[in-house]
């Protein structure tokens, strides 16, 4: 059996390798989702899912070893971006990624270096390094987008997963302009005399500056000193002014508010940047900050390991958002096809734009392979409406053991035409509604996988093939 699988995996791999070097052409590249089986359990070949896929299976059932890791290895001639809670994806696949550059961002500080190939470049997370310039070179929009994400995700982290609303949302919104300005200032500024680019000190500078709304001393004439160093809102506004940022004005406007209101903004800044107060997330030593353009080389691979309790969620979503924006803004340059693997997505990378991305970003060369333990994790994080909509538009969903996806499977069973229902022949009153319901329930239960070596594919909500899931070491 395994020989057959090995043979199939090898032939699939060879076929993918043999494809001509045109990764950005609109080919129908889909992520690996196991092997399709016939009714007798014989392997027919690589299962064909849709362009994006969601895997739902319980903890420890093989999501990483049987699906995500093989999908990363089989994604040849393209870029892989992988987020997970453990170092396992990097450990299992880094040595098999076709020779491109590999980057590792470890936000847990717990990845064992001896398990990672020596040529993997260690990078740190810094939102200031994630600003993506638009066609005019301005980072205003990018800074505002990242500020919005940090405020939203930071607040959701503190409120146990729910988005902030009402009053707190008002203060959060007020702090966006100031945070955008601080991020631009932390990224750097042109020296007013020489025009040379000066490093802004990154997130460490932003953390210090966010606490200090005013640093402007006056000399004896009462004129302001031109201070570009002291971390403060004022300095940030000066630096941002040097890059013509529209957010520089927000600092002055916010400072003129009632002191209590200024304090509220400061609290929001603290919440938004709280992830970086942890050493593991800020990074230490001489690792370089990750920038999205690092992934432009074909075959590049980026691994992010983010704490399973969601403590790195802000860092994770800001990197995802920035990489996606980089791909969209630079689409004219024909970016390589990228597989984005987001493991434990609702917990460690709760990126709100996932639905938009799954619905619209295929033409930008982005393919999403998302994993979670159960669909209710999306409901807990994004709310019922958003989660339902997201589940409804995923072109393919792979259900493994441990995920009792009653609703998804029942709905899939409901789509089976009456003539194909196996239970119908036994039931002479199949046209009666209640027995039709029973038939659907029975069919849904039949779709549920019973052991870790198998999964049930749903294609556009309808029952797809039963698939065989094989541990990476047998491939
Ligand atoms: N070297 C190995 N060879 C074969 N099987 C292994 C190996 N190491 C672990 N396993 C098995 O693989 C399973 C775990 O697989 P995997 O880590 O892919 O699951 P997962 O669904 O990703 O889990 P988690 O929710 O913890 O991320 C376990 O049942 C474990 O016994
Ligand atoms: Mg896993």
């Amino acid at each position: 059996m395994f020989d057959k699988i090995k043979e199939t995996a090898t032939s699939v791999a060879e076929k993918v390798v043999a494809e001509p070097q045109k990764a950005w052409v609109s080919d129908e590249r889909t992520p690996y989702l196991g092997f399709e089986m016939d009714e007798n359990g014989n392997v027919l070949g690589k299962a064909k899912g849709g362009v994006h896929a969601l895997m739902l299976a319980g903890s420890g059932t093989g999501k990483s070893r049987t699906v995500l890791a093989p999908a990363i290895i089989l994604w040849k001639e393209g870029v892989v971006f992988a987020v997970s809670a453990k170092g396992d994806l990097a450990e299992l696949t880094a040595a098999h990624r076709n020779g491109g550059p590999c980057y590792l961002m470890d936000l847990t500080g717990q990845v064992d270096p001896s398990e990672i190939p020596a040529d993997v470049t260690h990078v740190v997370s810094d939102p200031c390094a994630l600003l993506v310039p638009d066609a005019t070179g301005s980072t205003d929009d990018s800074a505002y987008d990242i500020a919005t994400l940090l405020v939203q995700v930071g607040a959701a982290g503190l409120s146990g997963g729910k988005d902030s609303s009402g009053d707190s949302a008002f203060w959060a919104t007020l702090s966006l302009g100031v945070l955008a300005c601080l991020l631009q200032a932390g990224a750097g500024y042109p020296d007013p005399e020489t025009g040379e680019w000066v490093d802004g000190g990154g997130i460490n500078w932003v953390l210090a500056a966010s606490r200090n709304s005013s640093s402007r001393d006056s000399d004896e004439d009462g004129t302001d000193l031109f201070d570009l160093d002291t971390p403060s809102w004022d300095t940030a506004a000066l630096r941002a002014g040097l890059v013509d940022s529209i957010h520089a004005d927000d600092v002055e406007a916010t400072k003129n508010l009632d002191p209590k209101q200024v304090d509220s903004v400061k609290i929001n800044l603290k919440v938004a940047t709280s992830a970086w107060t942890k050493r593991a997330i800020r990074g230490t030593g001489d690792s370089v900050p990750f920038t999205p353009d690092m992934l432009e080389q074909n075959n590049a691979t980026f691994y992010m390991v983010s704490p399973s309790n969601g403590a790195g969620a802000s860092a994770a979503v800001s990197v995802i958002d920035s990489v996606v924006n980089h791909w969209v803004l630079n689409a004219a340059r024909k970016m390589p096809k990228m597989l984005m693997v987001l493991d434990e997505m609702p917990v460690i990378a709760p990126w709100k734009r996932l639905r938009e991305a799954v619905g619209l970003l295929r033409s930008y060369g982005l393919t999403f392979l998302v994993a979670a333990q159960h669909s209710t994790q999306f409901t807990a994080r994004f709310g019922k409406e958003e989660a339902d909509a997201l589940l409804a538009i995923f072109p393919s969903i792979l259900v493994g053991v441990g995920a009792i996806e009653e609703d998804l499977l029942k709905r899939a069973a409901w789509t089976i035409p009456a003539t194909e229902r196996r239970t119908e022949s036994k039931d002479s009153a199949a046209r009666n509604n209640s027995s039709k319901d029973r038939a659907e329930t029975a069919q849904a239960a039949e779709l549920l996988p019973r052991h870790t070596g198998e999964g049930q594919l749903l294609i556009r909500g309808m029952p797809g093939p039963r698939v065989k899931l094989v541990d990476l070491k047998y491939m």
Side-chain angles (χ1 to χ4, degrees), residues 141 193 240 253 260 299 366:
D141 291 354
E193 276 164 23
K260 272 194 188 150
N299 296 334
L366 299 168

Side-chain angles (χ1 to χ4, degrees), residues 58-66 86 88 344 373 471 473:
S59 175
T61 56
K63 291 186 295 298
S64 304
R65 296 186 61 89
T66 67
K86 288 182 280 184
D88 54 356
E344 301 284 356
Q373 294 177 20
D471 192 278
K473 75 177 172 192

